[in-house]
Amino acid sequence: MSRDKATTMDADLQKAFGNPVPELYEAAAGHDASPALARALELRSFLALAEEQVARVRDRVHADMDPDRDMGELSADKLRFDAQWLEAALEARDGYRAALGELLRTMPPPAQQDRPVRTAQLRATATLPPSAAAPVPQRAGAARARRP
């Protein structure tokens, strides 16, 4: 499960939200969790999966390239496929890291996250006397004549 896997952004999450990642997941389960926390943990879950994929491909390539392994077992096609897989996993990881970093940079400071936003509702009322009503243009509602 991605909750249990450490990621390269966990320290940043802890710094931004003030609690270790397991506590953040508990807080996010509550009904009053901030949208920024929910989004950050969602991105963190995707990041954990992408980093796990990177590690799996890396470990597979290392095992294939082990100096004690029989050279007859090497396959250029398999290594090319692993290189493509690794490139895709690294792109995903980099994208999730960038998105999570951007979210952490742009979210409001923790002191402002829990305060509801108050907006004043202004009401303007004005009545015009019947004599001051706006005049209707002479051609109002008239169809335009076609030009030749």
Side-chain angles (χ1 to χ4, degrees):
M1 181 182 242
S2 59
R3 273 184 193 204
D4 303 326
K5 301 269 183 191
T7 73
T8 56
M9 297 285 293
D10 286 355
D12 297 314
L13 281 164
Q14 184 170 343
K15 182 179 176 186
F17 291 101
N19 290 318
V21 171
E23 291 178 24
L24 295 177
Y25 276 104
E26 288 177 25
H31 66 281
D32 59 343
S34 76
L37 176 60
R39 178 63 52 92
L41 292 178
E42 182 178 21
L43 286 168
R44 184 205 173 271
S45 295
F46 294 146
L47 174 62
L49 180 60
E51 288 182 345
E52 183 179 344
Q53 290 173 332
V54 169
R56 283 183 182 191
V57 176
R58 178 204 57 204
D59 294 346
R60 185 171 51 240
V61 170
H62 283 178
D64 288 347
M65 302 305 289
D66 188 323
D68 295 333
R69 192 151 184 179
D70 181 10
M71 298 268 282
E73 294 178 8
L74 283 176
S75 165
D77 287 336
K78 185 177 176 194
L79 288 173
R80 261 192 298 281
F81 181 75
D82 282 338
Q84 290 172 345
W85 189 270
L86 182 61
E87 184 177 349
L90 287 170
E91 278 185 35
R93 183 207 58 187
D94 294 346
Y96 291 129
R97 282 182 52 86
L100 185 53
E102 183 67 17
L103 175 69
L104 295 178
R105 276 189 298 282
T106 60
M107 68 182 202
Q112 292 179 355
Q113 289 179 12
D114 294 333
R115 287 191 296 170
V117 175
R118 296 181 70 190
T119 58
Q121 211 169 12
L122 301 176
R123 200 180 313 175
T125 57
T127 55
L128 295 175
S131 62
V136 178
Q138 288 180 332
R139 294 182 49 116
R144 287 189 172 178
R146 287 189 178 184
R147 292 187 181 181

